[in-house]
Amino acid sequence: MSLPEFWFLLIAVLWGGYFLLEGFDFGVGALLPFLPRGERDRRAMFESIGPVWDGNEVWLVVAGAATFAAFPEWYATAFSGFYIALLLVLVLLIVRVVSFEWREKSEDPRWRATWQWANTVGSIGAAFIWGVALSNFLNGVPLDGDNHYAGDFWDLFSPYTVFAGLMVVLLFAFHGATYLTLRTAGELCERAAHAARRLAVPATVGAGGLLVWTVAVAVDRNDKDVFPPVLPAALGIVVLLLAVTFVFTRRSGWAFAMTALGTLAVVATIFTGLYPRVLVSHPDFVNSLTISNAASSHYALKVMTITALILTPIVLLYQAWTYYVFRARIAGETPGANPLEALAPKPGEPPAP
């Protein structure tokens, strides 16, 4: 495997990690208007992702930095052509980030509802645009002979890319629901399990359709054979069907593992269908960017590879430790609970002075 191929694979892994981890973050945000029955439920949902969401976004930063360093031509063309879309993502992510902090600045219900909806809009909007953006790498965008973007903002939207954006949102919501079944307790956990059951079939059908359509686009737009893109697509459909089974048999841990693998399968199918190109040009296919003509120099890739091999395991261990530390379940509302009961003395305990 050459260094450019190694970095193409590593960038695919980084996007897969981002979709897997930030996917359930976005999914929890998308479910915020529907699952809570009170302020404690809403706070529990925020707390379920509060310690980890910023670490999850590091995967996006690293994916962008790796693209810039390893494939500067890809980075320049994609980021200039997708400029408005990426600016929208930036705004949505900022609004979402602010919602975590500002929501706690006031006890006013309208204030908190505003920032709850800000988190939901940011989560759904960013997930949709990421689905549109990644699918455009494979679907193709107009490039001229100098590899400059020759289209406009609306050229990013086609039936396939819009469908990809919508199905990414739906899959993330399903992924977020299975995550909440592991991180919450009591009635909130039961409602998360119920939401997972309601989302299981439509998310599996929709994501399965996206995987099949992605293989068809790879064959049509990127001059690929059905194999190998069909392999991750088929595996993705299998694991999502298993996720449905585990959701309905109440095996929460396995259900979350399968939605995670299904999310990875979407990214894997796109990048497998994309190889050996990094950005397909349509309608002028000859102008497509390839791994070889978009890569940095051999020396730059060599230095980056040594650095990545040293630092990546450290980052992975630290993030795994973070999830281990914050593994405890979080309780939401307790039906019929009286807050004054917490002040009452327990049996055998003398009353408070």
Side-chain angles (χ1 to χ4, degrees):
M1 178 186 294
S2 67
L3 286 179
E5 290 173 330
F6 170 79
W7 276 95
F8 178 82
L9 176 62
L10 182 57
I11 289 170
V13 170
L14 291 171
W15 275 108
Y18 177 68
F19 268 46
L20 187 159
L21 298 173
E22 194 80 309
F24 65 71
D25 276 3
F26 287 151
V28 171
L31 294 171
L32 269 170
F34 309 107
L35 294 188
R37 293 296 182 268
E39 178 55 30
R40 286 187 62 184
D41 280 354
R42 285 186 283 272
R43 181 169 293 173
M45 290 181 68
F46 273 98
E47 289 178 359
S48 71
I49 57 175
V52 297
W53 65 264
D54 50 351
N56 295 343
E57 289 193 348
V58 170
W59 289 76
L60 173 62
V61 176
V62 177
T67 304
F68 171 77
F71 300 100
E73 193 76 19
W74 182 14
Y75 181 93
T77 302
F79 274 66
S80 60
F82 299 5
Y83 182 81
I84 297 177
L86 294 176
L87 181 61
L88 286 173
V89 168
L90 180 61
V91 171
L92 290 166
L93 291 179
I94 290 173
V95 168
R96 180 173 175 270
V97 168
V98 168
S99 71
F100 286 99
E101 298 293 334
W102 284 20
R103 182 181 177 276
E104 302 299 324
K105 299 300 183 182
S106 173
E107 297 291 333
D108 180 56
R110 288 180 296 180
W111 172 270
R112 294 199 165 195
T114 297
W115 291 109
Q116 172 194 308
W117 278 103
N119 191 286
T120 298
V121 171
S123 299
I124 293 175
F128 173 76
I129 295 176
W130 283 132
V132 171
L134 277 192
S135 59
N136 263 297
F137 289 163
L138 179 61
N139 191 59
V141 293
L143 302 179
D144 62 21
D146 295 321
N147 299 130
H148 296 156
Y149 185 74
D152 57 29
F153 174 71
W154 300 110
D155 287 321
L156 301 179
F157 298 93
S158 68
Y160 167 67
T161 60
V162 171
F163 182 76
L166 294 174
M167 291 309 102
V168 165
V169 172
L170 184 58
L171 181 58
F172 282 2
F174 183 31
H175 191 33
T178 60
Y179 172 77
L180 286 173
T181 62
L182 298 177
R183 291 287 285 117
T184 59
E187 289 294 316
L188 180 57
C189 182
E190 287 299 317
R191 287 194 294 275
H194 179 68
R197 289 192 293 271
R198 296 190 65 177
L199 289 166
V201 173
T204 298
V205 172
L210 173 61
L211 291 167
V212 172
W213 200 347
T214 299
V215 174
V217 169
V219 173
D220 179 51
R221 295 292 182 95
N222 200 29
D223 195 26
K224 296 281 290 186
D225 293 329
V226 171
F227 187 86
V230 72
L231 181 59
L235 291 174
I237 293 171
V238 169
V239 298
L240 287 172
L241 289 172
L242 288 174
V244 175
T245 302
F246 291 135
V247 162
F248 281 94
T249 56
R250 295 179 175 270
R251 301 175 70 178
S252 300
W254 283 105
F256 176 73
M258 293 304 105
T259 58
L261 290 174
T263 304
L264 287 174
V266 171
V267 178
T269 303
I270 291 174
F271 276 87
T272 305
L274 187 59
Y275 179 85
R277 277 158 279 279
V278 294
L279 183 59
V280 174
S281 176
H282 180 80
D284 298 316
F285 183 69
V286 69
N287 295 333
S288 299
L289 286 173
T290 66
I291 291 176
S292 58
N293 68 19
S296 292
S297 67
H298 178 80
Y299 177 76
L301 293 176
K302 184 177 179 180
V303 172
M304 290 168 55
T305 302
I306 295 172
T307 304
L309 291 175
I310 295 172
L311 296 180
T312 301
I314 298 173
V315 173
L316 291 175
L317 287 172
Y318 176 77
Q319 191 161 26
W321 176 79
T322 302
Y323 277 93
Y324 176 78
V325 169
F326 294 102
R327 67 191 183 279
R329 290 179 179 267
I330 303 168
E333 299 283 351
T334 303
N338 183 349
L340 295 179
E341 291 177 359
L343 302 177
K346 297 187 173 45
E349 186 179 279

